[in-house]
Amino acid sequence: MKIFLVEDDMAVGRALLSVLQDEGHVVVWVRLAAQVWERIQVDTFDAVLLDLGLPDGDGTVLLRQLRTENSDLPVVVITARDSLEDRLRSFSLGADDYLIKPFEIPELLARLRAVVRRSSPAAGSEAPPVWKQGDCTLDEGRLLVTRCGVPVTLSKTEFALLCALMRQSDRVHTRAQLEALLPQSEAQTLDVHISNLRRKIGDGLIRTVRGVGYMVLCEST
Ligand code: CA
């Protein structure tokens, strides 16, 4: 990771620099609030370790500025200010974590890893899938269905049904499985929803499997 260390205390700064470098991180260390902004404009970081008490300014001002300009960059506040008010203020300004000096280095490293993991789009869950069959595309993340590239408006229930069918295409979904996706009050209306779906996305995509249920056939290549 590339870490931006903002810390005016030489002893603390040197110790953190050494530990973080030993852990394999690249560290850019500045000691003044004035240096933060010029550096952040020209460099990209994975996380910021931010001391609040700086000789030429207050870290909370920097925190507010960071959040305004770069909303995603994880910030761990490292400070001797231990009041609840200070902590709450930092969190309300957008700090991802808050560590009171003196702290144990392993705890700092663990918290740093945690905030970076939480902010990383690759971590946690993968990007929601996009399904494509014929001229129909379903984007789960954007809750968007298009036919020939043109957005189609579906009800919540229609979207849920199409999602289930597209996720496991080439597999028959029984009526009971699909009815389980309907609101309780609409349990008897599966055929109506399927019929509406066909009207909106085209007749060919959803096949009826007589006496069993419905399926979406994989595109033949
Ligand atoms: Ca300080």
Side-chain angles (χ1 to χ4, degrees), residues 6-9 51-55 78-80 101:
V6 184
E7 171 61 75
D8 65 305
D9 185 302
D51 180 27
L52 295 184
L54 298 167
I78 45 171
T79 180
K101 294 174 185 170

Side-chain angles (χ1 to χ4, degrees), residues 31-218:
R31 297 164 193 82
L32 296 174
Q35 296 169 308
V36 171
W37 210 243
E38 61 192 46
R39 195 66 204 224
I40 223 100
Q41 307 283 5
V42 295
D43 225 331
T44 306
F45 297 99
D46 296 300
V48 181
L49 289 176
L50 179 65
D51 180 27
L52 295 184
L54 298 167
D56 62 333
D58 194 290
T60 56
V61 176
L62 291 172
L63 185 55
R64 189 199 300 270
Q65 213 169 350
L66 278 169
R67 276 296 164 258
T68 309
E69 299 289 327
N70 186 342
S71 60
D72 295 334
L73 185 59
V75 177
V76 178
V77 168
I78 45 171
T79 180
R81 298 178 194 172
D82 61 356
S83 74
L84 177 63
E85 195 184 22
D86 281 317
R87 277 179 280 163
L88 293 179
R89 180 167 159 71
S90 288
F91 281 119
S92 75
L93 288 173
D96 294 279
D97 207 344
Y98 192 101
L99 210 49
I100 295 165
K101 294 174 185 170
F103 47 75
E104 299 293 333
I105 293 290
E107 184 178 4
L108 172 79
L109 294 175
R111 286 173 183 259
L112 195 54
R113 278 193 292 270
V115 297
V116 171
R117 191 172 57 238
R118 286 200 294 270
S119 79
S120 162
S125 61
E126 290 175 11
V130 176
W131 309 100
K132 191 169 177 358
Q133 291 295 341
D135 55 17
C136 182
T137 302
L138 185 151
D139 184 329
E140 288 197 34
R142 297 163 66 204
L143 300 175
L144 178 69
V145 173
T146 58
R147 185 185 181 196
C148 302
V150 179
V152 177
T153 305
L154 298 185
S155 71
K156 214 167 142 186
T157 304
E158 289 160 4
F159 187 87
L161 288 171
L162 187 60
C163 237
L165 291 164
M166 297 276 268
R167 277 177 191 158
Q168 291 180 298
S169 54
D170 248 0
R171 204 201 93 173
V172 180
H173 295 254
T174 65
R175 295 187 63 86
Q177 286 168 338
L178 294 174
E179 279 168 358
L181 301 171
L182 307 182
Q184 197 67 37
S185 59
E186 298 178 18
Q188 306 304 314
T189 59
L190 178 62
D191 297 324
V192 177
H193 288 299
I194 295 289
S195 152
N196 288 340
L197 266 174
R198 283 175 169 155
R199 184 168 45 77
K200 292 177 179 179
I201 61 170
D203 263 348
L205 189 69
I206 302 173
R207 310 288 176 92
T208 303
V209 183
R210 278 189 201 288
V212 186
Y214 295 97
M215 70 185 296
V216 164
L217 278 181
C218 276

